[in-house]
Amino acid sequence: MRSEIAFYEPGQFVTHPDCPDWGVGQIQSVTGHRVTINFENRGKVLINAQLIDLIVIE
């Protein structure tokens, strides 16, 4: 388990490091370590930010 959680906020665009085929996702909500993202090729997914380092698209 990671000791630090990256700062995510609604509206940011991200990709999932292990699932590039999901495409770009937009963060819908952040509650603690739970991040809800709507991916273009996968739909809405709930990610545990303690386990996954999302890649923020600047």
Side-chain angles (χ1 to χ4, degrees):
M1 185 178 289
R2 295 174 33 212
S3 59
E4 292 182 22
I5 297 175
F7 181 73
Y8 301 115
E9 60 185 34
Q12 284 181 313
F13 290 96
V14 297
T15 58
H16 190 297
D18 300 327
C19 304
D21 56 315
W22 288 4
V24 175
Q26 185 174 28
I27 295 177
Q28 304 297 301
S29 66
V30 180
T31 305
H33 61 272
R34 299 183 318 184
V35 182
T36 303
I37 306 157
N38 190 16
F39 287 98
E40 59 186 346
N41 300 324
R42 177 74 168 113
K44 198 170 280 190
V45 177
L46 179 64
I47 300 290
N48 182 338
Q50 289 180 312
L51 303 176
I52 303 294
D53 271 326
L54 297 166
I55 300 165
V56 176
I57 299 172
E58 298 293 335

